[in-house]
């Protein structure tokens, strides 16, 4: 590890009162993400996870984002700790001097990253249900007038981190649907009805004792509820393309996320929200092929399948998510 990065973590341990720098025995970088330097640190006999935001993200395209998003992330994790205490990581403070914070290092026998188990073809529908519940509770509670929105007026960061690299960049590569994608960007930018996490991806969800702990809330903003649900379903749909042996289970799990979540929707009509998810999901599918953060596990043939499928569904949106999943399943089996 570069000495200045090591010094940064040693300073953070001391600033947050977690121990003295001499007590730090190990600093191990964690992999998987593109937006942060994140490490496991052992201080005395305590294992911690320290995370600092990067100004330039680790992707091929030039993608920069303001590091103060680390503040929004910490604030989201604090809100989650109150709203869904069964599903949270313990927090140990955020730096006043650098865009960094400390949290519990999640580990143990019944602890696993959802992405790893999904890519191994191991899927339990209860996982999808519990994720739908967790997002539903946070959206529903944040839609109340008593909720303090001050730390989450972050739509410009959300634009930099999500709308521009995913939808706008994809619009620039697909003139046939560019106007449609631009209109989605505008609608999502203007929205502020609920607290959205912005990155509900299996690589950001660690299950511990059956409860999903949602991490990596750098994109948190007051926004449109459709984003988190479509984003999460998209990850399951793309894995269904990749893994034919568990395809129907994955598409069913995507539907279960929605089917569980919809019971919490009180701030707008569930039908209207479902229509928005039906429209956004194909847009996000296409964005993971031709946006700035392409999915890494699909073959070129499967990328082409997703392109064709998502363009078709963008041009002719389905009227329900059940129909959308059925049409995706049909196309994957019959119309490659
Ligand atoms: N508190 C934690 N305990 C254990 N592992 C973690 C913790 N937080 C993150 N990780 C692991 O590190 C990876 C990257 O962390 P993440 O917060 O998602 O950073 P990035 O913004 O770079 O994606 C996650 O995918 C997860 O595997
Ligand atoms: Mg991540």
């Amino acid at each position: 590890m570069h000495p200045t990065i090591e010094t940064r973590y040693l300073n953070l341990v001391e600033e947050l009162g977690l121990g003295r720098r001499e007590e730090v025995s190990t600093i191990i970088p964690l992999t998987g993400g593109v937006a942060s330097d994140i490490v496991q640190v052992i201080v005395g006999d305590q294992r911690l996870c320290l995370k600092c935001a990067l100004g330039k993200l680790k992707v091929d395209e030039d993608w920069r984002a303001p590091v103060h998003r680390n503040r929004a992330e910490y604030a989201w994790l604090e809100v989650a700790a109150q709203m869904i205490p069964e599903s949270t990581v313990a927090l140990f403070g955020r730096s006043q001097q650098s865009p960094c914070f400390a949290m519990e290092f999640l580990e143990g026998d019944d602890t696993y990253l959802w992405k790893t188990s999904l890519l191994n073809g191991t899927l339990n529908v209860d996982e999808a249900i519990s994720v739908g519940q967790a997002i539903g509770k946070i959206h529903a509670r944040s839609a109340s007038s008593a909720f303090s929105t001050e730390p989450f007026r972050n739509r410009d960061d959300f634009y930099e981190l999500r709308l521009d690299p995913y939808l706008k960049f994809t619009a620039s590569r697909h003139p046939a649907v560019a106007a449609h994608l631009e209109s989605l960007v505008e609608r999502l930018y203007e929205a502020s009805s609920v607290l959205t996490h912005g990155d509900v991806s299996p690589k950001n969800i660690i299950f511990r004792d059956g409860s999903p702990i949602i991490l990596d809330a750098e994109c948190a903003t007051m926004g449109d509820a459709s984003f988190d649900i479509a984003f999460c379903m998209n990850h399951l749909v793309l894995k269904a393309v990749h893994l034919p042996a568990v395809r129907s289970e994955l598409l069913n799990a995507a539907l279960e996320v929605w089917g569980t979540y919809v019971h919490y929707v009180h701030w707008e009509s569930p039908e209207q929200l479902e229509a928005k998810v039906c429209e956004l999901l194909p847009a996000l599918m296409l964005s993971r092929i031709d946006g700035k953060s392409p999915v890494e596990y699909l073959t070129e043939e499967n990328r082409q399948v997703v392109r064709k499928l998502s363009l078709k569904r963008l041009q002719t949106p389905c009227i329900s998510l059940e129909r959308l999943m059925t049409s995706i399943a049909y196309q994957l089996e019959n119309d490659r």
Side-chain angles (χ1 to χ4, degrees):
M1 178 173 293
H2 195 282
T4 53
I5 298 181
E6 190 174 311
T7 306
R8 173 138 116 160
Y9 287 119
L10 296 176
N11 290 346
L12 184 65
V13 165
E14 292 201 328
E15 182 194 340
L16 300 179
L18 301 168
R20 284 176 292 110
R21 59 209 309 121
E22 302 76 46
E23 293 173 286
V24 175
S25 58
T26 315
I27 305 181
I28 306 170
L30 303 179
T31 54
V34 298
S36 315
D37 269 324
I38 177 163
V39 294
Q40 183 200 129
V41 171
I42 303 178
V43 191
D45 56 7
Q46 195 181 16
R47 241 176 253 263
L48 300 170
C49 183
L50 307 183
K51 180 171 178 179
C52 298
L54 291 172
K56 181 180 177 330
L57 278 58
K58 295 179 264 182
V59 294
D60 291 341
E61 302 289 342
D62 187 25
W63 178 2
R64 289 161 199 275
V67 292
H68 63 240
R69 63 186 191 276
N70 188 263
R71 173 176 170 264
E73 171 164 19
Y74 198 74
W76 188 93
L77 292 169
E78 287 181 314
V79 163
Q82 285 170 6
M83 291 184 178
I84 45 170
E86 67 285 5
S87 270
T88 42
V89 63
L91 298 171
F92 297 126
R94 183 173 176 268
S95 173
Q96 297 300 312
Q97 287 145 29
S98 55
C100 303
F101 69 86
M103 61 186 147
E104 162 192 17
F105 185 76
L106 297 164
E107 60 181 345
D109 285 348
D110 197 14
T111 304
Y112 57 91
L113 188 69
W114 199 22
K115 177 174 180 173
T116 309
S117 70
L118 288 175
L119 287 179
N120 286 336
T122 315
L123 174 63
N124 174 347
V125 76
D126 291 342
E127 293 168 335
I129 291 172
S130 61
V131 169
Q133 271 169 352
I135 309 169
K137 284 180 187 171
I138 290 184
H139 283 188
R141 290 170 191 175
S142 66
S144 119
S145 57
F147 180 69
S148 167
T149 60
E150 192 280 323
F152 304 112
R153 293 180 196 148
N154 302 326
R155 65 182 184 176
D156 291 321
D157 292 345
F158 184 71
Y159 183 88
E160 294 294 327
L161 286 159
R162 287 287 167 266
L163 299 179
D164 182 62
Y166 282 66
L167 298 171
K168 260 194 103 80
F169 190 79
T170 305
S172 72
R173 293 186 161 190
H174 287 280
V177 292
H180 191 159
L181 294 175
E182 300 276 357
S183 74
L184 282 174
V185 168
E186 215 165 288
R187 187 182 79 204
L188 291 166
Y189 181 76
E190 293 300 332
S192 61
S193 47
V194 302
L195 173 59
T196 56
H197 173 281
D199 201 358
V200 184
S201 152
K203 79 175 185 333
N204 292 329
I205 300 178
I206 291 182
F207 273 89
R208 178 169 60 185
D209 301 329
S211 290
I213 301 178
I214 307 178
L215 300 159
D216 202 4
E218 293 187 320
C219 307
T221 186
M222 296 309 291
D224 194 282
S226 63
F227 192 85
D228 279 346
I229 286 299
F231 198 89
C232 178
M233 291 180 76
N234 184 31
H235 281 272
L236 297 169
V237 170
L238 293 177
K239 285 173 185 64
V241 177
H242 178 56
L243 300 170
V246 281
R247 179 166 293 154
S248 59
E249 288 86 345
L250 282 160
L251 293 176
N252 181 49
L255 213 46
E256 285 290 345
V257 170
W258 167 255
T260 310
Y261 169 86
V262 70
H263 296 293
Y264 294 90
V265 178
H266 66 78
W267 57 92
E268 64 182 290
S269 112
E271 293 77 21
Q272 174 191 309
L273 182 53
E274 183 167 1
K276 287 192 285 182
V277 179
C278 282
E279 196 185 357
L280 184 56
L281 179 52
L284 291 177
M285 288 166 66
L286 188 61
S287 300
R288 287 310 304 281
I289 304 299
D290 291 325
K292 281 193 182 179
S293 179
V295 60
E296 80 287 3
Y297 50 76
L298 290 183
T299 61
E300 192 44 50
E301 188 201 346
N302 277 337
R303 297 163 74 79
Q304 193 49 36
V305 167
V306 175
R307 237 179 236 121
K308 186 174 163 195
L309 216 157
S310 51
L311 282 166
K312 183 170 172 184
R313 290 281 70 103
L314 262 170
Q315 281 155 338
T316 323
C318 284
I319 55 160
S320 75
L321 284 166
E322 199 160 343
R323 287 226 191 153
L324 178 55
M325 291 304 125
T326 307
S327 104
I328 290 173
Y330 180 84
Q331 274 189 263
L332 290 177
E333 296 307 325
N334 302 296
D335 187 22
R336 282 180 161 256

